[in-house]
Amino acid sequence: MAEIVEAVKEQSIPYFDELGTTTGFQAAIEELARETPEDLHYQEAVFCTRLINGDAAGALDAAAAVAALAAHKDAEWARKAADRVSTAAGQLRTDPDAAIRTLRAHTETSRKHLRLPDPS
C-alpha cells in the first residue's frame, strides 16, 4: 500500500496539478488532438483553450481545422460545433472579449442542458 501512495504522490499529483491550469489543460488537449486528429471534439477544445490562453493566431488556425473536419461529417452536432467555433473565431478577429463571452454562454447552456450544478 505504501508503494501505491508513493506512486500517486510522485506521478499522479503533479499530473493533476498541471491539468489544474489553463496552460496545462491546453497541453493535454493538444496532445489528445494530435493523437486523434479526426476527433472534432478535441479539435474544438484546441480552439477553445487557445482562445482562453490568448493565442489568437493559434485559435484561428484551430478554427480552420474544425471547419475542414466538420465539412466531412454528416451530422448535426458537427455542424453545430463548426458554427460555434466559426462564430467565436469571427468575433476573435474584431473583439476577443466577445469571443470569450460566446464560449462562456455556450458553457452555461451546456451546463443547464446537462443539469449540472452552478459552480459559483
Side-chain angles (χ1 to χ4, degrees), residues 44-64:
E44 181 181 12
V46 167
F47 168 78
C48 293
T49 56
R50 288 178 180 178
L51 173 61
I52 289 166
N53 285 322
D55 180 5
L60 293 174
D61 288 345

Side-chain angles (χ1 to χ4, degrees), residues 61-99:
D61 288 345
V66 167
L69 189 56
H72 298 289
K73 298 199 180 287
D74 186 29
E76 183 179 352
W77 68 266
R79 286 187 292 280
K80 286 182 177 181
D83 288 347
R84 279 193 303 273
V85 170
S86 176
T87 297
Q91 292 169 325
L92 177 58
R93 289 179 179 91
T94 58
D95 184 0
D97 290 336

Side-chain angles (χ1 to χ4, degrees), residues 2-94:
E3 290 175 13
I4 293 172
V5 170
E6 277 307 307
V8 166
K9 285 181 183 177
E10 292 174 8
Q11 297 172 21
S12 299
I13 292 174
Y15 175 75
F16 289 122
D17 284 346
E18 183 178 321
L19 285 181
T21 67
T22 57
T23 54
F25 185 72
Q26 179 180 344
I29 290 296
E30 298 261 1
E31 183 176 336
L32 289 168
R34 278 190 300 277
E35 291 172 0
T36 53
E38 72 288 349
D39 190 312
L40 186 60
H41 298 291
Y42 287 142
Q43 303 307 323
E44 181 181 12
V46 167
F47 168 78
C48 293
T49 56
R50 288 178 180 178
L51 173 61
I52 289 166
N53 285 322
D55 180 5
L60 293 174
D61 288 345
V66 167
L69 189 56
H72 298 289
K73 298 199 180 287
D74 186 29
E76 183 179 352
W77 68 266
R79 286 187 292 280
K80 286 182 177 181
D83 288 347
R84 279 193 303 273
V85 170
S86 176
T87 297
Q91 292 169 325
L92 177 58
R93 289 179 179 91
T94 58

